[in-house]
Amino acid sequence: MNLRITESQSAYRHLEQKSVDELIGLINQEDQSVAIQVKEALPQLSGLIKAIVEKVNTGGRLFYVGAGSGGRLSVLDVIELPTTYGLPRGIFNVILAGGVDRLADALEEKEDDTAEAWARLQEAEVTSNDIVVGISASGTTPFVLAALHQCKQHGIPTGCIVSNPDSPIGAAAMYPVEVVTGPEFVTGSTRMKCGTAQKMIFDMISTTTMIQLGRVEDNNMVNVALINDKITDRAVRMLMEKSGIADYEEAKTILLRHGSVKQALENVSKIV
């Protein structure tokens, strides 16, 4: 593989000599290019999301496999889904180098482990009914690459999210998504533009999949878990708008009885 673009020299020199205003202006300028590069990858991303939706719709699961910033970002996305969309736990999963329970430890050395990811996928009893998506800014992370190779050997569909073209991980995946964000502001610091692109892509994957699975109605989170006062209030007002119930306390009672807006709407007799 040629020199990775993600490791190329920054376009900016002598950063330590620049003022705060100069630094944040330049970082913002670089960040503005990320959405454009993500747009270029939308056709690839569409194919990956359609494959994920198909697998989940037929009882399968998604496994993200990642290390470093990208892997940690996937954890942050996945942990939101049971509360935001009422998704049962275990459908979206993350195999993180070093373990999700060590999320805050940033065990970067674990990304060189070529056995751990596949071992943990086997523990989860991964099958061809599931889909495994590797995450690697460089497209070369051994932890991810080894897992995708094992998946291929066992007939398990795979995708990936990478930031270099023609990478080994991209070549190993059935549904590669390549978002080439270019050299980082600080040379090699892929938590910056690469991380921003990954966050945008995770948002697109999870949100689009949840909508396709019927967990959003109109533009509302009708399956949101009632975990605090703010969300419960939002859900009550959502139920009032959709059902025609005028009394707040009555709507709240019905909501709490059924546990979600969707369930309440399916059972309340005052639907307009």
Side-chain angles (χ1 to χ4, degrees):
M1 185 178 177
N2 296 328
L3 176 65
R4 289 168 286 180
I5 294 173
T6 51
E7 296 294 327
S8 298
Q9 283 289 329
S10 169
Y12 308 93
R13 302 297 305 274
H14 307 299
L15 300 181
E16 75 282 0
Q17 298 176 15
K18 299 185 185 302
S19 69
V20 169
D21 288 345
E22 288 177 303
L23 290 169
I24 62 175
L26 292 172
I27 292 171
N28 178 251
Q29 179 177 300
E30 286 293 301
D31 284 345
Q32 290 177 46
S33 70
V34 175
I36 296 171
Q37 296 306 319
V38 171
K39 182 179 180 179
E40 292 294 318
L42 289 182
Q44 291 181 325
L45 183 57
S46 175
L48 175 59
I49 293 175
K50 288 173 183 175
I52 292 170
V53 170
E54 180 182 357
K55 288 298 181 182
V56 175
N57 255 332
T58 55
R61 299 166 294 172
L62 165 65
F63 290 89
Y64 285 124
V65 174
S69 297
R72 290 189 287 273
L73 286 168
S74 73
V75 174
L76 298 181
D77 188 71
V78 167
I79 62 176
E80 296 278 356
L81 303 184
T83 52
T84 303
Y85 296 107
L87 184 73
R89 296 183 186 279
I91 296 179
F92 272 48
N93 308 274
V94 179
I95 305 296
L96 178 67
V100 173
D101 58 330
R102 302 289 298 277
L103 177 69
D105 293 338
L107 301 175
E108 309 295 7
E109 68 275 11
K110 294 293 186 180
E111 72 176 46
D112 293 328
D113 190 322
T114 58
E116 179 189 0
W118 177 243
R120 287 165 56 192
L121 284 168
Q122 287 181 296
E123 289 174 5
E125 300 182 342
V126 67
T127 74
S128 59
N129 293 324
D130 304 314
I131 185 166
V132 176
V133 177
I135 306 155
S136 170
S138 70
T140 63
T141 308
F143 180 87
V144 177
L145 182 60
L148 294 194
H149 280 157
Q150 287 287 349
C151 287
K152 184 176 182 179
Q153 291 178 22
H154 290 80
I156 298 165
T158 57
C160 73
I161 302 165
V162 296
S163 295
N164 281 308
D166 305 318
S167 69
I169 289 174
M174 293 175 61
Y175 302 98
V177 177
E178 297 176 326
V179 182
V180 184
T181 50
E184 294 287 359
F185 182 71
V186 175
T187 301
S189 182
T190 52
R191 72 184 186 88
M192 299 186 75
K193 289 193 297 182
C194 287
T196 299
Q198 289 164 344
K199 173 63 167 66
M200 294 172 73
I201 291 169
F202 292 138
D203 284 345
M204 290 182 185
I205 291 173
S206 58
T207 303
T208 303
T209 301
M210 293 303 103
I211 294 170
Q212 291 288 300
L213 294 176
R215 295 191 167 273
V216 172
E217 293 182 7
D218 189 13
N219 57 11
N220 297 126
M221 298 178 288
V222 292
N223 289 284
V224 65
L226 309 177
I227 56 174
N228 59 36
D229 291 343
K230 178 190 75 173
I231 291 175
T232 300
D233 176 70
R234 181 193 301 158
V236 171
R237 298 182 188 282
M238 193 188 311
L239 177 60
M240 293 172 68
E241 177 184 350
K242 290 182 174 297
S243 68
I245 300 172
D247 184 78
Y248 182 95
E249 292 302 324
E250 179 186 357
K252 184 174 183 179
T253 299
I254 293 171
L255 174 69
L256 296 176
R257 181 187 307 144
H258 294 289
S260 72
V261 174
K262 186 174 181 67
Q263 288 297 316
L265 287 170
E266 291 177 353
N267 288 279
V268 71
S269 61
K270 293 185 178 181
I271 301 178
V272 172

